Amino acid sequence: MDADHLSQRLATVAKYIPKGSRLADIGTDHAYLPVHLLKRGLIAGGIAGEVVRGPFENAEHEIAREGFTDQLTARLANGLRAIEPTDQIDTVAIAGMGGALITQILTQDFDRLTGVQRLVLQPNVGAMQVRQFLMTHGFQLVAEEILAEDGHIYEVLVADRATETQTYHEEELRFGPYLLAAPNAAFIAKWQHEADRTREVLQQVQAAKTVPTEKVAALTHELAQIEEVLHRVGA
Ligand code: SAM
């Protein structure tokens, strides 16, 4: 992968960055996403944030090599601390991390999102936690995608500032309201795998000397919900 040849996963993230936006790509690694968008004239500029020195230097190098130092600044910083008010960032992308880390990054410096209208988030796992964050922090989902690539399944969640509070029920939080409405092969594969995994965990906890009843109840509930959805979508 490079800035000219994004993975399908990162190309899906790119698709939802509004044209002309000022983007902060948090956890940018090689800065392929913002450089890709700049090369095509699709963003005005922004910030490539990285917390680890090695990837930060990769980002700096890539930005200089492509001649974008005037439009795109690499910053070595933890999460949203890479964003300053003068950057006038209106869109934030966070891709390729777990949902727990994405949620932690967004909550720990939430005030830095002032002025941000869109979040494009690609959790590798734990999308439910990310949806819960969106619901409780004034953002509303506007699109979701799920795709399979190189043996992994990825979800991309796109959210805008909410005009009014959005409430998602448990099923929507777990499966995604847009993904539920248009389930594709990747959706079915993901949830078939999750059903198998949940069944296995359930068997293990039920075989324990002291059976943790609350955990058994939670897993049983989760499994029933997954099976119900799979049945509904004809899987
Ligand atoms: N976003 C790129 C992508 O999707 O291809 C790179 C994903 S890479 C797996 C995750 C990157 O996030 C790593 O370079 C890591 O150093 C960075 N990262 C992890 N936690 C971070 C944080 N709190 N703030 C900024 N960057 C972080």
Side-chain angles (χ1 to χ4, degrees), residues 9-10 26-29 50-52 55 77-79 95-97 101 105:
R9 171 185 65 81
L10 222 42
I26 304 299
T28 196
D29 199 353
E50 240 308 326
V51 76
V52 177
N78 186 349
M97 304 176 203
L101 180 54
I105 287 173

Side-chain angles (χ1 to χ4, degrees), residues 31-231:
Y32 290 151
L33 174 68
V35 168
H36 172 91
L37 292 164
L38 270 173
K39 283 184 95 165
R40 281 150 192 80
L42 292 172
I43 56 170
I47 299 297
E50 240 308 326
V51 76
V52 177
R53 185 161 288 279
F56 162 72
E57 285 169 358
N58 292 340
E60 270 196 319
H61 178 78
E62 177 73 6
I63 294 165
R65 198 173 65 83
E66 296 285 359
F68 289 127
T69 43
D70 287 348
Q71 296 101 311
L72 185 62
T73 306
R75 290 226 178 100
L76 183 62
N78 186 349
L80 301 178
R81 284 172 215 169
I83 304 175
E84 300 295 341
T86 49
D87 297 326
Q88 297 189 304
I89 295 300
D90 50 46
T91 303
V92 169
I94 312 181
M97 304 176 203
L101 180 54
I102 291 177
T103 306
Q104 186 200 325
I105 287 173
L106 291 168
T107 41
Q108 76 189 357
D109 292 291
F110 186 69
D111 56 318
R112 302 252 177 170
L113 290 179
T114 311
V116 171
Q117 292 304 319
R118 169 160 294 193
L119 300 174
V120 186
L121 309 171
Q122 185 269 299
N124 291 337
V125 292
M128 186 173 186
Q129 199 175 340
V130 178
R131 290 189 190 98
Q132 220 138 17
F133 162 84
L134 296 170
M135 181 175 83
T136 51
H137 287 77
F139 282 89
Q140 63 183 46
L141 284 161
V142 292
E144 294 174 302
E145 290 211 26
I146 186 164
L147 62 124
E149 185 174 45
D150 298 334
H152 296 281
I153 293 181
Y154 302 107
E155 289 180 46
V156 176
L157 313 186
V158 186
D160 286 348
R161 281 270 175 207
T163 38
E164 52 192 66
T165 308
Q166 288 293 311
T167 309
Y168 302 116
H169 53 68
E170 191 195 336
E171 194 179 88
E172 290 173 319
L173 288 170
R174 177 165 283 122
F175 300 92
Y178 289 90
L179 302 180
L180 260 177
N184 63 7
F187 178 92
I188 291 168
K190 174 191 165 129
W191 290 107
Q192 281 174 335
H193 175 77
E194 287 298 323
D196 292 344
R197 208 180 56 93
T198 310
R199 258 181 231 113
E200 261 174 49
V201 179
L202 194 52
Q203 271 175 6
Q204 281 162 12
V205 296
Q206 278 170 330
K209 269 209 181 103
T210 329
V211 177
T213 46
E214 270 181 32
K215 178 138 191 162
V216 168
L219 287 166
T220 305
H221 170 71
E222 193 179 323
L223 181 58
Q225 199 171 54
I226 298 171
E227 285 173 338
E228 210 274 309
V229 164
L230 283 172
H231 177 72

